[in-house]
Amino acid sequence: MAATASWQPQEEGFNSICALLQHQISPSSDKSQIWQQLQHFSNFPDFNNYLVFILARAEADHCGLGNVRKGQSVEVRQAAGLLLKNNLRTAFSSMTSAYQLYIKSELLPCLGAADRHIRSTAGTIISVLVQLAGVSGWPELLQALANCLESNDLNHMEGAMDALSKICEDVPQVLDSDVPGLVERPINLFLPKLFQFFQSPHASLRKLSLSSVNQYIMLMPAALFASMDQYLQGLFVLAHDSAAEVRKLVCAAFVQLIEVNPSFLEPHLRNVIEYMLQVNKDSDDEVALEACEFWMYDHFIFRFMSAYCDAQLPLENLREFLPRLIPILLSNMAYAEDDESLAETEDDESLPDRDQDLKPRFHSSRFHGSDNAEDDDDDIVNVWNLRKCSAAGLDVLSNVFGDEILPTMMPIVQRYHHPGFFSLPDSHPPPPTVHLFLGQVAKLSTTDDGTWKEREAAVLALGAVAEGCINGLYPHLSEIVAFIIPLLDDKFPLIKSISCWTLSRFSRFIVQGIDNQKGSEQFDKVLMGLLRRILDTNKRVQEAACSAFATLEEEAAEELAPRLEVILQHLMCAFGKYQRRNLRIVYDAIATLADAVGERLNQPTYLEILMPPLIAKWQQLSNSDKDIFPLLECFTSIAQALGAGFSQFAEPVFQRCINIIQTQQLAKATFIGSSYITYGLSAIDPASAGVQYDKEFVVCSLDLLSGLAEGLGSGIESLVAQSSLRDLLLQCCMDDDAPDVRQSAFALLGDLARVCPVHLHPRLSDFLNVAAKQLNTSKVKETVSVANNACWAIGELAVKVRQEVSPIVLTVISCLVPILQHAEELNKSLVENSSITLGRLAWVSPEIVSVHMEHFMQSWCTALSMIRDDIEKEDAFRGLCAMVRANPSGALSSLVYMCKAIASWHEIRSEELHNEVCQVLHGYKQQMLRNGAWEQCMSALEPPVKDKLSKYQV
């Protein structure tokens, strides 16, 4: 495969690569062996030339290669193109300019290829090249695209439009940039052509042109802004296109325009709303789904209201459409006949889960701070379909219009209402809208098999409006819940599962009434109903019940303590019968229970129910079994809840975490070492180290060790002393390849610093230096969670080892100050931890820090004033007082900010610190700010701040 001045393929190389590609697309081929052979070929510098040659020229019986007269299939040519695309991402920049030029020159004719797969593959590769090198170095491309679009040949037009749409999708900014040699930006040249294709007789060209323009809505280049009227007119023309894919893109355009700037559509809003209502009933589900998102997007509702308020226009324009919109949403919420969920109605608890049934799981590394709350996910539908989107849309509308939507909802289902089935005492008549709603609830009791889908949709609707319409529903919550509870025992599994979810949506309000006897009895009915369904024989019901129960646990918290025995009995019974997928949800429910009741779980009766099954599972799973992840997470919560009570289980758990980390680090080292030796020549089998490296094993183990440290406190010291944890932990802190490993490692470092710092001493300087490196300005924004935990760990170490942190104090301070000075741009928790750690360093090394205090006092005090009262804030203010004593003049220019920080305290519980703060303020008032200077400083403070300072006798 030697390179020549004018490159030509060699017959042997051509035949070998084609044969290999033929094997690659064969379902029965050995993919590992083929990959190794492809790696071998990739060592030749002109390998990618062969690939583009095969893609572009190997279709003919005689492709210009001596005796080679057999053309290649489209599948082989396409495989060559896809391999070329992947190779170029890593190899293009290192290729010779001659080879780069050859590949480009071969791709352009493919735009007009007879086969659409070849055209599409060429367009994908062209987009990759534009991503890598832009268009300025490929002037022939723009001209070729323009020529093809003007050719009137369908193949050429489709090929060029396909490539252009991919460029617009992947790197839209490239076409909206100045290009040397061009008078105008490319987008200015292509946009008019794209608008013209809106009227093409070919659906494929209408679709591709509209898709291309839609990519620029968010960027909103000047060319599109100036052509907005033409664009909107094109959308209105395409709104009733015969092609469903085009109509879907029209809907998507309206959604994005509402998000970007509602004023674009304001003059046409009534027509747009009218259109979206019509396509919500589109015969094509994907079109209806796209239209439904128009109503679901929070941005639509709130930006719409904002635009109308700014223009002083009434909101009636949207409200008047609710009687038409809500029935459409409700009708879309019933299960379609082809919905996959309808197959999940059997008693399938004994059927083992397949690997493809298991959802991907993502462990959230331990985080010390206030900003790591996970998004709640109360979805009960696995696929984002029209039904789910309609329910989400109804949810959003209920949050905007509240109880106003109830009168519109109720008449739709009144035909199911049996007069007299539900009534309230005449002395307490409900508002008309709620009475109608309760009529709707009454229909849920019907057992007519033919209407079960409507009943199920009604329960879904009830859950969807549970929060938004709660003001109208709350006075009658007990009646509503009383009607839903029997549905937990319905004959249809999907009604049982949706009833679990809907009860979870009301769980906060159900718990609020627990203080009175009636409310407590209702809570117990809901609790026992969900526990019954946790033991259901249908997997979907099990999942819904467990998830709903976890939500109830979070709301009820300590109220669950008197009911712990029956809860644990049900959960552990489920633990013994569930298959792998739902077992993960049981782990989560157990962990949530432990978090909710805390130390109340530490009773022999409860532990006898809880721990034996968990320990049996713990012993059953190997160190390389991924099913151990949720068990490790579960043990983390249990260890924290039991505290010292977990000590009887601690030793084997601790040691196994150590073993897992050791095994994984060995696997990683083996893999990296082997990779260096055989780089570029063959595949590496990481199993040669005994297990395949997976960082999540390390993360989960580190987090469980943190849970043990938090739960056992100083009781973990003997375990740490007899282990290799210190050195393993330092390796994890230095793992540059895995930010989440470092994040959990620094969390554990801080936890160990709190309870057994003596065992960190031999490597203390190493720990401090590697932690300080995480605060480097370039790393903070890239891995903010790592920086947050490292910052917190430095502060924890500082208060324990005191002067021993001196060597790194200035390095850390130089990193913390920029964080505080740009607080509004960064993670809230990182700013809080930075201010606390700076204070702790000032407390232990005031003579070092105080010299520089005038450079950061204002931003630091501003950050301190935002922190809630706790022991960490006390430490930071001890540092403040120590610095002022060491260098009182350093805070003079920032005294107003310091007073505001002091006033942020609700109460300083430490009498010693309170007295220190008093001394600082009195020192400034009596010694440094005389002759009216103190009064002048006080005049700059708001009255509430001055009132709070009065408790310090100033």
Side-chain angles (χ1 to χ4, degrees), residues 553-855:
E553 287 176 315
E554 293 173 346
E555 298 293 345
E558 66 275 1
E559 298 292 349
L560 297 174
R563 305 159 172 88
L564 268 175
E565 185 169 359
V566 67
I567 291 173
L568 288 171
Q569 288 171 344
H570 280 78
L571 289 179
M572 301 323 292
C573 181
F575 184 83
K577 66 186 287 189
Y578 277 16
Q579 301 297 329
R580 291 170 62 199
R581 173 174 167 171
N582 285 348
L583 194 58
R584 297 177 177 181
I585 306 175
V586 178
Y587 284 130
D588 179 63
I590 295 171
T592 304
L593 179 66
D595 294 337
V597 301
E599 61 184 7
R600 297 174 182 82
L601 188 61
N602 190 21
Q603 298 292 331
T605 301
Y606 303 149
L607 296 183
E608 288 174 5
I609 301 172
L610 174 65
M611 295 307 295
L614 293 178
I615 292 173
K617 178 65 71 172
W618 173 265
Q619 294 170 343
Q620 172 189 338
L621 298 172
S622 72
N623 286 355
S624 59
D625 191 332
K626 292 186 178 183
D627 285 343
I628 203 171
F629 292 155
L631 181 54
L632 291 170
E633 294 170 349
C634 183
F635 268 133
T636 301
S637 292
I638 293 173
Q640 291 170 317
L642 296 184
F646 195 77
S647 57
Q648 58 184 305
F649 314 107
E651 194 280 330
V653 172
F654 179 93
Q655 191 55 51
R656 186 164 189 183
C657 288
I658 298 296
N659 292 341
I660 290 174
I661 297 172
Q662 284 178 326
T663 301
Q664 288 296 321
Q665 289 190 338
L666 175 61
K668 181 178 181 180
T670 303
F671 174 72
I672 293 175
S674 301
S675 297
Y676 278 124
I677 294 172
T678 58
Y679 175 74
L681 296 179
S682 64
I684 308 305
D685 181 11
S688 60
V691 299
Q692 186 171 359
Y693 174 69
D694 186 334
K695 64 183 179 181
E696 196 161 6
F697 283 100
V698 180
V699 172
C700 288
S701 297
L702 290 170
D703 287 349
L704 178 47
L705 290 173
S706 284
L708 289 175
E710 184 176 331
L712 299 177
S714 58
I716 200 175
E717 186 171 353
S718 60
L719 298 175
V720 176
Q722 301 170 23
S723 73
S724 58
L725 176 58
R726 180 180 59 241
D727 294 332
L728 289 173
L729 180 58
L730 182 57
Q731 288 181 347
C732 292
C733 289
M734 298 170 66
D735 191 342
D736 291 335
D737 298 325
D740 40 359
V741 171
R742 299 202 309 278
Q743 179 180 337
S744 291
F746 285 115
L748 177 55
L749 177 63
D751 286 324
L752 292 177
R754 283 180 161 182
V755 298
C756 56
V758 64
H759 296 294
L760 301 174
H761 266 93
R763 304 299 295 271
L764 181 62
S765 62
D766 294 324
F767 278 118
L768 289 171
N769 285 325
V770 72
K773 288 180 180 178
Q774 310 307 312
L775 302 178
N776 183 283
T777 305
S778 63
K779 290 189 174 183
V780 166
K781 287 190 176 182
E782 296 175 7
T783 52
V784 64
S785 297
V786 178
N788 176 82
N789 286 2
C791 179
W792 173 78
I794 291 172
E796 292 295 334
L797 283 167
V799 296
K800 293 295 184 179
V801 302
R802 312 293 295 181
Q803 291 295 324
E804 292 179 68
V805 302
S806 298
I808 58 98
V809 166
L810 286 182
T811 300
V812 174
I813 294 295
S814 67
C815 294
L816 297 181
V817 171
I819 293 174
L820 297 175
Q821 291 174 338
H822 299 87
E824 67 283 353
E825 305 170 14
L826 295 170
N827 175 277
K828 176 185 175 183
S829 183
L830 175 60
V831 174
E832 290 182 357
N833 277 320
S834 296
S835 60
I836 291 168
T837 295
L838 192 155
R840 285 173 160 176
L841 293 175
W843 182 24
V844 301
S845 300
E847 70 286 351
I848 298 177
V849 181
S850 62
V851 177
H852 308 279
M853 61 190 293
E854 63 184 18
H855 298 297

Side-chain angles (χ1 to χ4, degrees), residues 29 36 47 132 138 229 297 303 307 316 410 531 548 574 589 597-598 618 645-646 708 719 753 783 864 883 926:
S29 62
Q36 293 182 38
F47 176 53
L132 296 172
W138 196 0
D229 287 343
Y297 273 50
R303 287 181 183 237
E316 295 303 320
M410 296 316 105
L531 291 177
V597 301
W618 173 265
F646 195 77
L708 289 175
L719 298 175
T783 52
L864 287 177
M883 275 202 304
Q926 298 173 3

Side-chain angles (χ1 to χ4, degrees), residues 860-872:
W860 182 42
C861 288
T862 299
L864 287 177
S865 66
M866 306 299 292
I867 302 176
R868 63 186 180 279
D869 294 4
D870 61 13
I871 188 66
E872 294 180 341

